[in-house]
Amino acid sequence: MQRRDFLKGAAILSAAGTVMPVLAASTQAHAMTDKTCGRRRFTLTNTYQLVAPEGSAGVVKLWVPLPENTAFQQVEKLNFSGTYQDAYISANNHYGAKTLFATWPDAKGKMTLTLELVIETQDWEPVKSGELSHYRAPAKPEYPTDVAIYLKPTKHMPVDGIVKQTADKIVGKETEPLKQAQLIYNWVSANMYRDNDVIGCGSGDVAAILESGKLGGKCTDINSVFVALMRAVGVPAREMFGIRLGQAIKMGHYSKKAFGSADDKGFADVTGGQHCRAMFYLAGYGWLPADPADVTKMRLTEKKEHSDPAVQAVNDYLFGNWEMNWVGFNYGRDFDLFPVAEQTPLNNFGYPYAEVDGDPVNYYEPKVFAYDYKSSEQR
């Protein structure tokens, strides 16, 4: 059995609720449409035509991440078909990551699977809508069991050593969790940068990033730093791995390309649109969205300084708000899929994962894998 190690190679304060006037003006300009009310509907069609790595043969296994249902997204339809021997849906793993698992008896025949999802999304804007205006942090926060797990370290996200030292320097004497979150968010968005040379969405190896002094990467790297720093000061936080579905409207005012795009009929090729976002948890309130990585992407795409008013508008919005031309799959980090893969644990589950007799297929290269994702928005 021929082993591949490409995955290892790939690893080579404004007040809460403030929204810059330019962002508010851009949403008002579209106030009569459902989209700017935040409700949108997409059909996502994923096509897989698996190709075995050279020298590999035998049983083929495919794990596909599926969206979960939340307050900001609902899966209204899910159909799949293909040449597989068996296929079923399960969430039997540590993070409850919903998975479509399919198998083929060998790699000699045609290995295809088509998955169609109809997804309705709703912009998640708790800070912009003023939901936190009367929030008060409890003197002694208590976290539910299913939240407390997001205080723990993982292989790629330690919460001690340089991570803890960095977090403590950022927050200083501040003890209020929401203010700590804003300090950490602003530090990450201002001091990190997007590096388009990084493979895929990045490995999210937080200690390695901080120790290197080169604070660059892609969305998983940048948002994982935010998450780990939050955990290090005692605030639960997690990434959500997903994919962009189409045109950004509110955020598209600042960049036509950075946050997602589509043609004039609402059609988009989203094969390379994987994107990781972040959340943090306030005791007595619940989860809040954040995305410092997209601030850095917008800066690079538009060639602007962090101090630019447009960048600052984006920076303000993405602390406590998400525009939902995106769908999230799961929160898994450094965990075992189900059924358990031979190459385990998996760093994260934002891409499809496949093995041929235990050899992983390079999911960072859609044409090699091979897969194709198309999205169409109902208008």
Side-chain angles (χ1 to χ4, degrees):
M1 182 165 55
Q2 187 176 14
R3 298 290 177 184
R4 303 293 195 280
D5 63 355
F6 76 91
L7 296 176
K8 295 180 181 178
I12 313 268
L13 232 168
S14 61
T18 297
V19 181
M20 293 291 286
V22 65
L23 182 58
S26 71
T27 59
Q28 289 170 3
H30 301 273
M32 300 303 292
T33 70
D34 280 345
K35 292 178 184 177
T36 52
C37 292
R39 195 181 305 277
R40 301 173 71 173
R41 186 181 176 92
F42 300 88
T43 298
L44 177 64
T45 304
N46 301 352
T47 303
Y48 304 88
Q49 298 183 2
L50 294 176
V51 178
E54 185 177 352
S56 296
V59 175
V60 179
K61 300 177 181 179
L62 170 66
W63 295 258
V64 177
L66 298 175
E68 69 168 42
N69 289 323
T70 72
F72 50 81
Q73 61 185 37
Q74 291 287 315
V75 177
E76 297 190 343
K77 178 181 176 182
L78 187 158
N79 291 324
F80 58 88
S81 61
T83 61
Y84 44 78
Q85 182 180 53
D86 189 23
Y88 59 89
I89 294 172
S90 174
N92 186 32
N93 55 74
H94 180 68
Y95 288 95
K98 197 172 182 180
T99 307
L100 171 58
F101 176 71
T103 60
W104 290 260
D106 60 62
K108 296 178 182 178
K110 192 174 183 180
M111 299 177 290
T112 65
L113 185 150
T114 298
L115 168 67
E116 183 181 81
L117 299 161
V118 176
I119 304 161
E120 184 168 297
T121 69
Q122 174 70 51
D123 288 353
W124 189 21
E125 298 178 323
V127 168
K128 183 174 180 288
S129 63
E131 290 182 22
L132 291 167
S133 59
H134 301 294
Y135 172 75
R136 296 295 181 270
K140 186 178 179 181
E142 295 186 8
Y143 301 113
T145 302
D146 62 345
V147 172
I149 63 171
Y150 297 107
L151 285 169
K152 296 180 179 180
T154 76
K155 177 182 176 181
H156 287 88
M157 289 198 305
V159 297
D160 58 1
I162 192 169
V163 180
K164 176 64 173 171
Q165 295 164 16
T166 304
D168 287 346
K169 288 180 182 177
I170 294 169
V171 301
K173 296 181 180 181
E174 182 57 64
T175 59
E176 202 282 317
L178 181 57
K179 293 180 180 178
Q180 288 179 325
Q182 183 117 51
L183 287 167
I184 291 172
Y185 170 89
N186 283 340
W187 184 89
V188 171
S189 66
N191 289 280
M192 296 196 71
Y193 64 93
R194 181 175 174 88
D195 182 353
N196 279 338
D197 290 334
V198 169
I199 296 173
C201 289
S203 64
D205 192 340
V206 175
I209 292 169
L210 295 177
E211 288 168 354
S212 73
K214 297 178 180 178
L215 304 180
K218 284 191 179 172
C219 55
T220 300
D221 301 310
I222 295 165
N223 284 335
S224 291
V225 169
F226 171 77
V227 167
L229 292 173
M230 291 294 292
R231 293 185 187 185
V233 298
V235 179
R238 63 192 184 188
E239 306 98 320
M240 191 173 198
F241 299 91
I243 193 165
R244 301 188 200 270
L245 293 173
Q247 178 188 5
I249 299 173
K250 297 174 182 178
M251 304 303 289
H253 178 81
Y254 303 98
S255 176
K256 298 297 183 184
K257 297 181 179 180
F259 310 114
S261 59
D263 66 17
D264 56 6
K265 296 181 179 180
F267 176 82
D269 184 340
V270 297
T271 305
Q274 288 83 2
H275 179 57
C276 159
R277 287 177 163 178
M279 302 178 184
F280 63 97
Y281 188 92
L282 293 183
Y285 174 81
W287 289 104
L288 285 167
D291 193 352
D294 255 2
V295 181
T296 69
K297 185 176 183 183
M298 181 262 192
R299 251 191 356 242
L300 178 64
T301 303
E302 300 301 320
K303 298 179 174 57
K304 293 182 180 292
E305 297 295 326
H306 191 68
S307 58
D308 184 275
V311 175
Q312 285 301 300
V314 169
N315 190 74
D316 284 349
Y317 179 80
L318 290 174
F319 180 78
N321 309 285
W322 285 350
E323 182 176 3
M324 288 300 297
N325 60 321
W326 172 90
V327 65
F329 299 141
N330 59 76
Y331 316 105
R333 285 306 302 268
D334 300 309
F335 76 112
D336 289 343
L337 295 166
F338 178 84
V340 177
E342 290 199 39
Q343 304 295 314
T344 193
L346 191 69
N347 181 340
N348 63 71
F349 193 32
Y351 291 81
Y353 181 78
E355 291 181 346
V356 180
D357 197 24
D359 292 339
V361 184
N362 186 352
Y363 53 74
Y364 287 130
E365 295 290 343
K367 293 182 180 179
V368 172
F369 196 92
Y371 60 85
D372 180 78
Y373 292 177
K374 298 290 192 298
S375 176
S376 179
E377 182 170 8
Q378 179 178 310
R379 297 194 169 182

